[in-house]
Amino acid sequence: MKSSHAQQALDKALKGPEFEKRVRRRNAKDSASAYGISIGGIGVILSVLLIMFFLLYVVMPLFVPAKVEKHEQYAIPGTQNETTLYYGIDEYQETALRFTKSGKLYGFDVATGKLISEDSLPLNGQHITSFTVISEIDNVLAFALSDGTVLIAKYGYGVSYPNDVRTITPKVDYPFGEEPVELASAPIEKIAAKQTDSDLVFAYKQMGSDEVVIKQYSKVESMLTDTISLEEGYVGTFELKNTADWLELDGSMRNLYVISKTGVTNYYNLSDIENPALIQHVNMLNNDEKLTTVRFLLGDYSLMLGTDKGNVIQWFPVRDNNNEFALHEIRSFKVGNSPIQTIAIEKNRKGFATTDTSGQFNLYHSTAERHLNSTQVTDKGAAGFVTISNRADGAFVETSDGQLVHYKIENHHPDVSVSSLWGKVWYEGYSEPEYVWQSSSASVDFEPKFSMTPLTFGTIKAAMYSMLFAVPIAVLAAIFTAFFMDKKTRQWVKPSVELIEALPTVILGFLAGLWLAPYMESHLPGFFSLLIVVPLGIVIFGLTWSKLPESIRLMVPVGKRAVLMIPVVIVLGWLSLQLSDPLENAFFDGDMRHWLTFTAGIDFDQRNAMVIGFAMGFALIPTIFSVTEDAIYNVPSYLINGSLALGASGWQTLVGVVLPTASPGIFSAIMLGFGRGVGETMIVLMASGNTPLMETNLFEGMRTLSANLAVEMPEAAVDSSHYRVLFLSGLVLFIFTFIFNTLAEVVRQRMRRKYGSL
């Protein structure tokens, strides 16, 4: 009877409208949960992909080639049968000024080629025999005349607003007066000149002479009229040892190059103008090549040589180990097979343009070794004289048939390439190719250095040293806590360790940079003795404990004996630091840092990788400990009990059963710690010294990708190359983390399959 009543109640509960309603409600909840979890997972994946695509969107313009569009073409303004010496273009590309060898000045409208003004240089009946650019940036030119004098001119543009319309008019001033400077007694065949705020130096060769003369002038400003006059100072001469087809004086006014068309070059040091010193005789070309043009790159340091084989070769002086300079070939560019006609330089970057006899116009960037664009100017002959506008957003190219072609240029990021980002680059002033990050400088002719290699190296270096400190401590502590410690003590230890993770990393970085780094510097032997004294002392204490009578040992339960190690570790740590001074006096002449630097030859920075290892390792311990401890603690008890029942000891069970089973979780914990170490910002920002070096030295600092972003992003101009390269740093960090996490997951799954059958 009771059985029948129970059966009726069960049938009523599992059948009928109420039951079906409950089933539908449960199914709806299951479906909603499944869809919710799926949508959430897909949303996370899409969010990550959107972040990656945004980074790609910002970074991709770095690798887009230059865009060159023909804007206008017209007959060369002025008399077309005259040789052009120079073009000046205003920064808005509205008006331009043409200088010719006859001394004519033609101002014209860029859009139409229509003449705006026409004037002549005050040549006083003489004619121009040689020409040089004193300063590309300051628009200062020098014209050597047939009577041995030199006229110095500075061009610019006047802005007026007739009828409220902006009008730009070319103009030419003479900073030292319209009277030419009396330089020589005969026509000047070749001339080079450079200036500073206080001096002006000429190097010249007179027609029919076998000597080069160097003259230095001091600039003297009149207190009454604000005019500047030149006062002759030092004079030096030397006899030519080769043909002087080009005289090139660099921006420091200390290096003079006498270059022939065959490439034979004599390099003179003008530090003592009265006694020029020949320091190198070198052939800068192959035997079958001839020079067609020579120009300095921006900054007047690198020589750019155009040849009749269509090559452009870059040379500059390099300092050797004996502090002596010599010209070296740095890099070359294969433009084509036709002779190079002209080389023009950009006035704000290390870029240049070439024209050749096949009618092509090419854009390059020297440091990035990047060919940016190739444009056919004319099919009827050669492309001749070329000039790039002040902002490098336009160019004039003359053709052999008397046409002037104006191009608009979009070339925003020529100074970045794959080779400059990841390869060694030979920068101006460096003795060899190097990996360098230096994104800004006070000088206008600065050569940006955007090597990602030292930043990536610094990221890995910081993570590895911190992992060396954190992994042994965290993993061993987790093993003891999960396997040997009793449950009650574990409930205190585990939350206490995990609580460390709540400490803001900015506080840890602050303490590491302002307290730990100087303290470690003054107690270096003590910190090294920590690595020996503490482990050795723990082993000795353990052996001593094992020799005590069993009645004493049983007074402390096995699971609580770890508490006894706390005072031991504290005392051993204190003892190690107290040993610092005796060890320093005994082995390092009282100063270990001085000994490292001057005896061992090891560079030492106060904020170094050792500080990062301790500080960031301390921050990584809770992450690695928590995940490792959970993995070991969750090993099924039947595996442990079965091992113990078969006669295995606790250590044998740990090594043979527990660790293999928990190994996927332990590996995940280590990779989580490594991932956090790679992305850590504040600790490395405040305690690493922020020096982007490629050094494994424990006592030198580093700069990481994340710290570099934090330091430089606020100062980067939006959409500049620097700005986009910083976003590239973020993308590299993103990809780096993604790859390591993917590899970690693959390894973890394989380990799980391997040990899942235990």
Side-chain angles (χ1 to χ4, degrees):
M1 187 69 179
K2 291 182 179 179
S3 175
S4 176
H5 181 72
Q7 184 64 41
Q8 290 177 1
L10 183 62
D11 290 341
K12 184 178 179 180
L14 298 178
K15 295 180 181 179
E18 288 295 328
F19 174 74
E20 292 177 359
K21 186 177 180 180
R22 287 197 304 271
V23 171
R24 287 195 299 270
R25 189 183 303 119
R26 184 176 62 223
N27 291 339
K29 289 180 179 178
D30 290 344
S31 298
S33 298
Y35 282 116
I37 293 172
S38 299
I39 292 172
I42 293 172
V44 171
I45 294 172
L46 288 176
S47 299
V48 172
L49 289 175
L50 284 173
I51 292 172
M52 185 180 72
F53 284 128
F54 174 72
L55 292 173
L56 285 171
Y57 171 77
V58 178
V59 168
M60 285 306 296
L62 289 173
F63 305 101
V64 173
K67 183 179 180 181
V68 178
E69 291 185 348
K70 186 176 179 180
H71 194 246
E72 300 290 345
Q73 180 174 342
Y74 36 75
I76 296 175
T79 307
Q80 297 180 20
N81 58 5
E82 290 185 289
T83 301
T84 300
L85 294 178
Y86 199 79
Y87 279 102
I89 312 172
D90 78 81
E91 60 181 343
Y92 303 105
Q93 296 189 71
E94 294 181 9
T95 60
L97 185 62
R98 179 190 178 207
F99 294 83
T100 69
K101 194 168 184 179
S102 65
K104 293 290 186 180
L105 309 176
Y106 298 105
F108 60 94
D109 182 83
V110 170
T112 63
K114 182 180 178 181
L115 286 177
I116 298 173
S117 62
E118 185 175 351
D119 201 355
S120 298
L121 295 170
L123 303 182
N124 299 327
Q126 305 298 318
H127 62 272
I128 298 172
T129 57
S130 185
F131 166 78
T132 189
V133 179
I134 295 179
S135 174
E136 292 273 4
I137 296 174
D138 296 329
N139 303 332
V140 182
L141 314 174
F143 303 87
L145 307 181
S146 54
D147 62 350
T149 60
V150 174
L151 178 66
I152 300 173
K154 180 177 182 179
Y155 70 90
Y157 304 90
V159 181
S160 59
Y161 294 87
N163 300 321
D164 293 329
V165 177
R166 185 185 66 184
T167 303
I168 300 177
T169 307
K171 63 177 183 178
V172 176
D173 297 322
Y174 303 94
F176 308 110
E178 294 190 8
E179 286 296 321
V181 179
E182 294 183 3
L183 197 63
S185 57
I188 297 174
E189 183 180 6
K190 303 293 178 183
I191 188 170
K194 288 292 180 288
Q195 67 173 357
T196 63
D197 291 338
S198 58
D199 295 302
L200 176 63
V201 173
F202 294 99
Y204 61 91
K205 172 186 175 297
Q206 300 179 77
M207 290 185 180
S209 173
D210 291 328
E211 285 188 336
V212 171
V213 182
I214 302 99
K215 283 190 178 181
Q216 176 263 337
Y217 290 85
S218 299
K219 297 180 180 178
V220 180
E221 184 175 355
S222 172
M223 299 181 62
L224 299 177
T225 62
D226 288 336
T227 58
I228 298 176
S229 60
L230 296 177
E231 183 177 293
E232 185 175 328
Y234 300 108
V235 178
T237 62
F238 61 84
E239 290 189 5
L240 286 172
K241 300 181 183 299
N242 63 310
T243 305
D245 293 307
W246 288 274
L247 289 180
E248 299 293 340
L249 181 64
D250 79 345
S252 69
M253 303 186 299
R254 296 176 181 174
N255 300 315
L256 177 66
Y257 310 103
V258 182
I259 307 171
S260 71
K261 289 183 178 180
T262 60
V264 175
T265 300
N266 283 332
Y267 170 22
Y268 291 88
N269 185 346
L270 304 184
S271 297
D272 181 1
I273 291 179
E274 294 180 312
N275 298 288
L278 176 64
I279 60 176
Q280 188 182 13
H281 176 82
V282 62
N283 189 346
M284 298 195 291
L285 297 179
N286 296 324
N287 294 330
D288 58 342
E289 280 190 288
K290 296 289 187 281
L291 281 178
T292 56
T293 184
V294 177
R295 281 295 301 273
F296 272 117
L297 203 60
L298 177 69
D300 297 328
Y301 191 80
S302 292
L303 286 168
M304 307 302 293
L305 314 175
T307 75
D308 61 347
K309 301 295 185 182
N311 296 314
V312 175
I313 309 169
Q314 181 179 1
W315 287 67
F316 60 66
V318 174
R319 190 195 304 266
D320 62 18
N321 294 330
N322 297 321
N323 203 31
E324 295 179 354
F325 284 92
L327 279 170
H328 281 261
E329 180 179 342
I330 305 303
R331 54 184 69 93
S332 62
F333 304 86
K334 182 63 178 177
V335 178
N337 296 318
S338 302
I340 303 298
Q341 289 282 90
T342 313
I343 297 175
I345 68 167
E346 294 186 12
K347 296 185 179 181
N348 56 359
R349 295 181 301 215
K350 300 291 183 177
F352 64 95
T354 66
T355 57
D356 57 36
T357 56
S358 68
Q360 279 201 334
F361 166 72
N362 286 276
L363 272 178
Y364 289 88
H365 191 275
S366 63
T367 308
E369 297 187 57
R370 189 174 174 187
H371 182 207
L372 297 155
N373 185 271
S374 182
T375 300
Q376 190 70 33
V377 180
T378 178
D379 296 323
K380 300 178 181 179
F385 197 92
V386 58
T387 299
I388 301 176
S389 64
N390 289 352
R391 297 181 178 179
D393 54 357
F396 278 136
V397 181
E398 285 187 358
T399 65
S400 57
D401 58 352
Q403 296 291 299
L404 184 64
V405 185
H406 176 221
Y407 288 101
K408 289 284 190 177
I409 300 174
E410 291 184 15
N411 185 24
H412 301 296
H413 310 291
D415 43 1
V416 177
S417 66
V418 174
S419 62
S420 67
L421 288 171
W422 299 106
K424 285 188 175 182
V425 179
W426 203 335
Y427 298 103
E428 291 182 351
Y430 283 66
S431 58
E432 61 183 358
E434 293 185 20
Y435 300 110
V436 182
W437 174 274
Q438 186 184 358
S439 57
S440 60
S441 172
S443 62
V444 295
D445 57 351
F446 172 66
E447 191 173 23
K449 303 167 182 65
F450 291 133
S451 177
M452 301 289 292
T453 306
L455 303 179
T456 305
F457 180 86
T459 301
I460 298 174
K461 178 181 177 180
M464 292 305 297
Y465 278 121
S466 60
M467 292 292 284
L468 285 174
F469 177 78
V471 169
I473 296 175
V475 172
L476 294 176
I479 291 172
F480 187 88
T481 303
F483 192 72
F484 294 105
M485 191 174 286
D486 68 299
K487 185 176 181 180
K488 188 174 181 180
T489 308
R490 176 181 177 271
Q491 289 175 346
W492 282 95
V493 171
K494 189 172 188 293
S496 299
V497 175
E498 291 175 343
L499 191 63
I500 299 174
E501 197 165 12
L503 285 173
T505 55
V506 65
I507 299 299
L508 294 176
F510 177 82
L511 292 174
L514 297 184
W515 172 76
L516 180 61
Y519 187 81
M520 185 180 291
E521 180 184 16
S522 59
H523 295 80
L524 268 179
F527 275 89
F528 280 103
S529 66
L530 275 172
L531 304 176
I532 300 173
V533 172
V534 173
L536 187 61
I538 290 173
V539 171
I540 293 173
F541 177 81
L543 289 173
T544 303
W545 177 264
S546 66
K547 301 298 182 182
L548 293 176
E550 187 175 357
S551 59
I552 297 177
R553 287 188 283 116
L554 291 178
M555 293 174 62
V556 182
V558 175
K560 296 183 182 295
R561 289 177 183 174
V563 178
L564 297 176
M565 299 304 300
I566 295 176
V568 173
V569 171
I570 292 174
V571 170
L572 291 174
W574 174 83
L575 178 63
S576 299
L577 295 176
Q578 293 303 308
L579 290 172
S580 181
D581 288 341
L583 290 173
E584 201 164 33
N585 292 328
F587 298 103
F588 306 109
D589 298 327
D591 190 340
M592 185 175 180
R593 176 175 180 175
H594 185 275
W595 182 88
L596 285 171
T597 304
F598 296 98
T599 303
I602 301 173
D603 293 331
F604 184 96
D605 294 327
Q606 185 185 85
R607 300 183 181 186
N608 52 49
M610 190 173 177
V611 176
I612 293 298
F614 277 92
M616 195 157 76
F618 181 78
L620 299 183
I621 285 174
T623 301
I624 302 172
F625 171 86
S626 181
V627 179
T628 301
E629 202 274 346
D630 287 339
I632 296 172
Y633 190 77
N634 290 323
V635 172
S637 59
Y638 65 83
L639 293 177
I640 299 173
N641 293 334
S643 175
L644 294 173
L646 290 173
S649 67
W651 279 103
Q652 288 173 328
T653 300
L654 173 68
V655 174
V657 177
V658 175
L659 292 182
T661 306
S663 58
I666 297 173
F667 183 77
S668 296
I670 294 173
M671 293 311 298
L672 278 172
F674 184 75
R676 183 180 173 186
V678 167
E680 176 56 46
T681 302
M682 295 310 300
I683 295 176
V684 291
L685 179 65
M686 303 178 74
S688 68
N690 280 314
T691 49
L693 301 174
M694 291 282 292
E695 292 288 343
T696 57
N697 184 358
L698 179 66
F699 302 110
E700 285 193 330
M702 78 291 288
R703 178 180 286 193
T704 66
L705 290 165
S706 56
N708 190 61
L709 282 167
V711 169
E712 300 199 6
M713 185 58 80
E715 305 298 329
V718 176
D719 293 336
S720 64
S721 295
H722 181 205
Y723 175 85
R724 295 187 188 277
V725 169
L726 290 176
F727 270 87
L728 178 61
S729 301
L731 181 61
V732 169
L733 196 58
F734 183 94
I735 295 173
F736 189 80
T737 305
F738 178 80
I739 290 174
F740 270 87
N741 286 343
T742 302
L743 290 174
E745 183 63 20
V746 170
V747 173
R748 190 176 70 86
Q749 291 296 339
R750 289 186 177 181
M751 294 173 72
R752 175 174 290 179
R753 287 195 298 270
K754 180 177 180 180
Y755 298 111
S757 59
L758 290 176

